[in-house]
Amino acid sequence: MNTAAIIILVVSFIALIVLRFPISITLAGSTLITLMYLDIPWVVVGQRMIQGMNSFPMLTIPFFILAGQIMSEGGMALRLVNLAQLFVGTMRGGLAMVNCVACMFFGNISGSAAADVSSVGSVLIPAMKKKGYDADYAVAVTTSASIQGVVVPPSHNLVLYSIAAGGVSISSLFLGGIVPGLCLLLVLMIVSYVIARKRQYAKGDPITWKEVPKIVRDGLLSLMTGVIILGGILTGWFTATEAGAIACAYAFVLTFFIYRDVPLSRFWVVLKRTFRTVAMVLFLIAASDAFGWILAYLKIPTLVSDLFLNISSNPLVILLLINILLLLLGFPMDMAPMILIMTPILLPVVTQLGIDPVHFGIILILNCGIGLITPPVGTVLFIGCAIGKVSVNQATKASLPFFLAMCVVLLLITYIPGISLWLPHLYGK
């Protein structure tokens, strides 16, 4: 064990983070500094970075991102809000209920919590404020509900985990996220309802029967994106990568030729935004692969595994410790780098204990998702605060009941593997 090299890697990583370098530069930079000490040629970093992106399943990510960007461009969020209104809109605190369901619907299309809160939040946060809901509560509901988007398919974060884990089945992960996502929806709706009754928020406005056919038609057309992706994978008609490409084509036709909310000229703007996002994600994956290689070279995953197993050999205790670690890391770290860094470190620990990689993947993704609504790096929290025009402190306090509720769901998913594994086993994945 090269203790000096491990210290150099850790210290350089922390130093670059403190100096506020982008996480991809931090990963590549700390790897290069450590290689210099070990007198290993720098060409190794380049080779590892290229190898990290040289993967067919990697194409899934840009396709899913593009499909989500296209669907976000039009009035998709409003149509899904109207569809959710049919189911839960007339309840006490109806708009909060609608928010939870609409975020689930939109998450099944975009696979991104940030896109979820940006699209649904821009419609519902102002509407909730207009109906007398407290602004901090409106932001808390929206940001918390948007986390469903990272768990349910077609979450590109599940694809990231699959790549970081060395090829865990994407279709199994997609299936594994459905029931946990529904559990999350149910718990968030319960918390929203309890708070709404306590504060005596108004019931939602009823929808006339005349409006129902159009609302159902538009809503179902929007949801077909998720149906195409998941249905095609489950039936074996196409792979996850092919599903992403077909979803892009469907989203393009639906947005620009059927709904026609935006002119076709806006497609160039969508492409530029997608290219920018994909470039950042791919460079992060490349840098993470190089960082993962140096971790393996220094046998850090083995050291971490030994550390946990020296504390306890009980899988229940180890999983609790891992959850606490991931929740704490969620405060200063963003989601994608956390997945890419922690997967190669923690996966050997849990597999040694006989825990299914799909089960662990859902645990990891939900942990990282919860971190998106916690300061100081809660990306989703900041987007919601900007839309709702409330301070981060106000939104954080209002989010506490939802944070605790999500932690309850996390514990249920952690200690009842069947919640994540029932559907994959049912379909023989």
Side-chain angles (χ1 to χ4, degrees):
M1 181 179 68
N2 197 324
T3 306
I6 294 174
I7 293 172
I8 289 170
L9 180 67
V10 173
V11 171
S12 60
F13 179 84
I14 294 173
L16 291 171
I17 287 286
V18 171
L19 293 172
R20 305 188 71 175
F21 278 87
I23 186 64
S24 51
I25 301 296
T26 299
L27 292 170
S30 56
T31 302
L32 286 172
I33 292 169
T34 308
L35 288 181
M36 289 173 61
Y37 171 78
L38 293 170
D39 198 26
I40 296 175
W42 282 17
V43 70
V44 172
V45 176
Q47 290 172 342
R48 294 303 310 182
M49 292 178 75
I50 292 171
Q51 186 175 332
M53 294 187 292
N54 186 22
S55 167
F56 181 72
M58 189 76 68
L59 290 172
T60 310
I61 295 175
F63 282 136
F64 284 163
I65 291 175
L66 177 57
Q69 291 283 1
I70 293 172
M71 300 293 266
S72 300
E73 184 67 21
M76 201 69 60
L78 181 58
R79 291 180 173 87
L80 293 174
V81 166
N82 290 335
L83 182 63
Q85 183 94 2
L86 284 178
F87 297 102
V88 293
T90 57
M91 298 172 64
R92 173 72 63 186
L95 281 180
M97 304 288 109
V98 169
N99 205 325
C100 294
V101 176
C103 282
M104 167 61 83
F105 286 161
F106 199 84
N108 186 241
I109 294 170
S110 69
S112 165
D116 212 336
V117 74
S118 299
S119 301
V120 176
S122 63
V123 175
L124 278 177
I125 291 177
M128 290 177 72
K129 290 167 66 177
K130 188 175 180 180
K131 287 290 185 179
Y133 290 78
D134 296 317
D136 57 348
Y137 173 77
V139 171
V141 170
T142 310
T143 53
S144 301
S146 70
I147 303 307
Q148 297 168 105
V150 307
V151 179
V152 297
S155 168
H156 59 263
N157 295 292
L158 290 171
V159 180
L160 277 182
Y161 169 76
S162 171
I163 294 167
V168 175
S169 168
I170 295 174
S171 57
S172 295
L173 289 168
F174 280 1
L175 284 170
I178 293 175
V179 178
L182 292 173
C183 291
L184 194 57
L185 171 63
L186 177 62
V187 170
L188 291 175
M189 288 183 68
I190 291 171
V191 174
S192 300
Y193 181 74
V194 169
I195 296 175
R197 283 194 64 87
K198 184 178 179 181
R199 299 186 184 182
Q200 289 298 301
Y201 289 135
K203 292 185 178 181
D205 298 325
I207 293 175
T208 64
W209 283 105
K210 186 179 178 181
E211 299 173 285
V212 171
K214 186 177 187 304
I215 290 173
V216 171
R217 184 197 67 195
D218 288 348
L220 292 180
L221 281 174
S222 301
L223 290 175
M224 278 301 295
T225 310
V227 173
I228 288 170
I229 293 171
L230 197 56
I233 293 172
L234 292 182
T235 56
W237 289 352
F238 34 76
T239 65
T241 305
E242 292 164 346
I246 293 170
C248 284
Y250 177 79
F252 178 81
V253 172
L254 187 65
T255 300
F256 292 105
F257 294 99
I258 297 178
Y259 289 156
R260 291 186 290 186
D261 294 315
V262 290
L264 188 57
S265 58
R266 287 287 301 174
F267 184 57
W268 178 244
V269 177
V270 172
L271 283 178
K272 288 196 293 185
R273 195 161 57 228
T274 302
F275 290 154
R276 191 181 303 117
T277 303
V278 170
M280 290 189 294
V281 170
L282 292 183
F283 183 55
L284 177 59
I285 291 171
S288 298
D289 199 76
F291 188 78
W293 178 83
I294 196 68
L295 288 177
Y297 182 84
L298 295 173
K299 299 181 180 178
I300 290 177
T302 303
L303 293 175
V304 173
S305 180
D306 291 343
L307 175 63
F308 275 109
L309 294 175
N310 285 335
I311 295 173
S312 174
S313 59
N314 188 330
L316 302 182
V317 175
I318 298 297
L319 284 172
L320 179 62
L321 293 174
I322 287 175
N323 276 326
I324 293 171
L325 173 64
L326 292 173
L327 286 173
L328 291 175
L329 288 174
F331 286 90
M333 290 184 69
D334 207 352
M335 185 165 190
M338 191 166 157
I339 294 170
L340 294 168
I341 294 170
M342 299 309 298
T343 298
I345 294 176
L346 295 178
L347 188 59
V349 178
V350 297
T351 50
Q352 193 169 341
L353 295 171
I355 295 166
D356 192 289
V358 173
H359 178 208
F360 175 68
I362 303 302
I363 295 172
L364 174 65
I365 294 298
L366 183 54
N367 267 296
C368 296
I370 293 172
L372 293 175
I373 62 167
T374 57
V377 189
T379 311
V380 168
L381 179 66
F382 290 132
I383 295 172
C385 289
I387 295 171
K389 296 181 173 60
V390 300
S391 70
V392 172
N393 286 339
Q394 287 176 298
T396 302
K397 289 178 183 177
S399 299
L400 185 58
F402 298 99
F403 174 84
L404 295 175
M406 285 191 282
C407 288
V408 170
V409 175
L410 175 63
L411 289 175
L412 289 174
I413 292 170
T414 300
Y415 292 120
I416 307 177
I419 295 176
S420 303
L421 299 178
W422 174 64
L423 273 177
H425 289 169
L426 182 66
Y427 282 90
K429 299 293 183 179

